[in-house]
Amino acid sequence: MSFDRNIKIAPSILAANFANFGAECEAIEAQGADWVHVDVMDGHFVPNITFGPATCAAIRKHIKGVMDVHLMIAPVDPYIDAFAQAGADVITAHVEAGPHIHRTLQAIRATGAKAGVALNPGTPADAVAELLDLTDLICVMTVNPGFGGQKFIDMSNKIRALRAMIGDRPVHIEIDGGVDVNTAPLVAQSGADVLVAGSAVFRGGSVSAPEGYGENIRNIRAAAAGVYA
C-alpha cells in the first residue's frame, strides 16, 4: 500500500446490498473504486450495529485493493488483532473511544496494518497533534457517526488545520459522511485525499447494473479533481 495524495474514492459498503457483499465489493472495484470502506459499529459508541471481524474476513477474498476498516466501537484495543487477522489494510479508531489512543495506534501498527485516527465533528484538530508520527490516516467525520445518509457538516477549517499540521508526513486525510458531487470539491480543496461515499456511490446501480456505480465514482472523482491541486 504505497502513499500518494491523489484523490481516492472509498465506497462505504454500509450503503451496499447486505445480502450480496462479496459481489458488491467486486463490482465497485471493477467500476473504479480505489479502496473499500467498512464501517464497523457496535451499538454502544454509536447508535447502530453493523459488522464484525467475520464479515471483514468473508469479504476480504473479494477485495483486490485496500480494505479500509473504520472502527466506531469502544473499547477498541481488544478487537484490533481480530480485524487485522481478517485482512484489514487500514484500521481506524476514534480518538474519543478510549483514554489511550496513542497505545491504540501503536497496537494497530504492531499488527502490520496502517493506523488511522478518526475525529468526530465536535473534536478539534489539535486532538491529534501529538499522534501524527504514529498515524497513517486521519479520518475527519463530516456527520455524527452512527448512520449512513446523513447531511454533510462542513469541516473545512478542521481539514485545513490538519493539512498544515501534517506537513510533509505521509498521512492521508480521509472524509467520511455526506460526500457527493457537491461536497467533494469543498473537502478536496481543503486538503483531503480519501473520500468515503456511501449512498452517493451505490445509488442508481446494482451488481447486475454496476455501470451506475462507475458513473457515480467518476462523477465524484471529477468533482473533487476539479479543484484539487
Side-chain angles (χ1 to χ4, degrees), residues 8-12 37 39 68 70 139 174-180 194-198 201:
K8 295 159 200 65
I9 308 301
S12 168
H37 188 82
D39 285 308
D68 175 32
H70 177 189
C139 176
E174 178 176 77
I175 305 302
D176 188 355
V179 172
D180 58 21
V194 182
L195 308 186
V196 176
V201 166

Side-chain angles (χ1 to χ4, degrees), residues 98-196:
H100 304 298
I101 187 63
H102 190 284
R103 178 184 295 160
T104 299
L105 294 173
Q106 287 179 315
I108 293 170
R109 281 193 161 182
T111 69
K114 299 292 186 181
V117 59
L119 299 173
N120 283 336
T123 302
D126 61 11
V128 299
E130 302 301 322
L131 304 173
L132 297 176
D133 292 326
L134 268 178
T135 302
D136 300 292
L137 176 147
I138 300 171
C139 176
V140 177
M141 296 302 299
T142 43
V143 297
N144 285 295
F147 297 95
Q150 295 185 70
K151 185 178 179 181
F152 176 83
I153 302 170
D154 186 359
M155 291 284 131
S156 300
N157 289 339
K158 185 189 293 187
I159 298 166
R160 284 192 287 268
L162 289 167
R163 189 68 197 85
M165 287 166 54
I166 288 167
D168 60 0
R169 296 177 178 88
V171 178
H172 295 291
I173 297 179
E174 178 176 77
I175 305 302
D176 188 355
V179 172
D180 58 21
V181 293
N182 298 311
T183 57
L186 182 65
V187 297
Q189 188 174 43
S190 300
D193 60 289
V194 182
L195 308 186
V196 176

